[in-house]
C-alpha cells in the first residue's frame, strides 16, 4: 500500500490512492493492494496454504527486484560517467556495494523462477490503466492551469 501511495503522491498513479485517512494511513492504496493480493491467493490456491504464501513471497520479491536493480545500476552508470563520489574508502565501498547488489538482483531474478516473473509482468500490465488515468488527470490539470482555470475535481 505504501509504494502505491508513493506512486500516487508523485503523480504516477491516480491521486485518490495517495490520500490518507484520519489516522494517516493510505486506506485506498491498502484496500487496492489487499484486494489484488487476495485475488492472487485465491487464483493460486492449490491445497497447501504454505505453498501459496511461498508463491506470494516470490511474486513480491520479483516485483521489487527491478527497483533495486535500477538503483544499483544507476550508481554504476554514474560512476562510469564520473558523476559518482568514489574517492576514498567510502566511495570504493559504495561502488562495491552497487556492483554486488546488481549481481545479487540478477541472481535472485534467475532463482525466483518463471511463474512469479510472469505474474509480476501481468501485475505491471494491470497497473498500466492506472498510469494512463493518472497521466490524463495530470494533463487535464496542466491545461486548466495554463488557461488560468481551476483544475477539475478528481
Amino acid at each position: 500500500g505504501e509504494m502505491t501511495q508513493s506512486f500516487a503522491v508523485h503523480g504516477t498513479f491516480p491521486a485518490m490512492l495517495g490520500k490518507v485517512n484520519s489516522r494517516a494511513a493510505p486506506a485506498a492504496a491498502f484496500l487496492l493492494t489487499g484486494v489484488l493480493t487476495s485475488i492472487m491467493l485465491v487464483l493460486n490456491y492449490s491445497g497447501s496454504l504454505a505453498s501459496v504464501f511461498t508463491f506470494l513471497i516470490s511474486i513480491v520479491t520479483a516485483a521489487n527486484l527491478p527497483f533495486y536493480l535500477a538503483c544499483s545500476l544507476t550508481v554504476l552508470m554514474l560512476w562510469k560517467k564520473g558523476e559518482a563520489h568514489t574517492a576514498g574508502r567510502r566511495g570504493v565501498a559504495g561502488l562495491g556495494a552497487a556492483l554486488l547488489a546488481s549481481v545479487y538482483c540478477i541472481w535472485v531474478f534467475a532463482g525466483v523462477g518463471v511463474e512469479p516473473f510472469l505474474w509480476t509482468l501481468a501485475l505491471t500490465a494491470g497497473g498500466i490503466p492506472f498510469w494512463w488515468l493518472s497521466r490524463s488527470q495530470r494533463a487535464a490539470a496542466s491545461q486548466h492551469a495554463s488557461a488560468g482555470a481551476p483544475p477539475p475535481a478528481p
Side-chain angles (χ1 to χ4, degrees), residues 3 7 57-75 77 98 101-110 112-113 116-125:
M3 188 177 289
F7 280 133
I57 289 168
S58 297
I59 291 173
V60 170
T61 301
N64 285 304
L65 279 175
F67 297 112
Y68 294 121
L69 182 60
C71 290
S72 61
L73 291 176
T74 299
V75 170
M77 288 180 2
S102 297
V103 170
Y104 178 76
C105 286
I106 293 167
W107 178 65
V108 172
F109 246 133
V112 79
F117 180 70
L118 292 176
W119 270 98
T120 298
L121 290 177
L123 291 171
T124 302

Side-chain angles (χ1 to χ4, degrees), residues 6 118 127 142 152:
S6 178
L118 292 176
S142 176

Side-chain angles (χ1 to χ4, degrees), residues 11-14 124-138:
T12 305
F13 281 0
T124 302
I128 291 172
F130 289 103
W131 179 78
W132 278 107
L133 176 65
S134 174
R135 183 177 175 193
S136 65
Q137 286 177 349
R138 281 194 316 255

Side-chain angles (χ1 to χ4, degrees), residues 1 4-6 8-9 14-22 24-30 153-154:
T4 304
Q5 178 199 21
S6 178
V9 167
M16 69 171 208
L17 294 173
K19 294 180 181 177
V20 294
N21 63 14
S22 63
F30 281 142

Side-chain angles (χ1 to χ4, degrees), residues 11-104:
T12 305
F13 281 0
M16 69 171 208
L17 294 173
K19 294 180 181 177
V20 294
N21 63 14
S22 63
R23 297 183 184 198
F30 281 142
L31 183 63
L32 177 67
T33 55
V35 167
L36 291 176
T37 301
S38 297
I39 290 170
M40 286 178 52
L41 285 172
V42 169
L43 290 175
N44 289 293
Y45 185 73
S46 62
S48 167
L49 196 55
S51 67
V52 172
F53 281 111
T54 301
F55 181 71
L56 187 60
I57 289 168
S58 297
I59 291 173
V60 170
T61 301
N64 285 304
L65 279 175
F67 297 112
Y68 294 121
L69 182 60
C71 290
S72 61
L73 291 176
T74 299
V75 170
L76 295 175
M77 288 180 2
L78 289 173
W79 169 76
K80 186 176 180 181
K81 289 181 175 181
E83 297 176 18
H85 176 72
T86 56
R89 194 184 300 181
R90 191 173 190 181
V92 171
L95 185 60
L99 183 61
L100 285 173
S102 297
V103 170
Y104 178 76

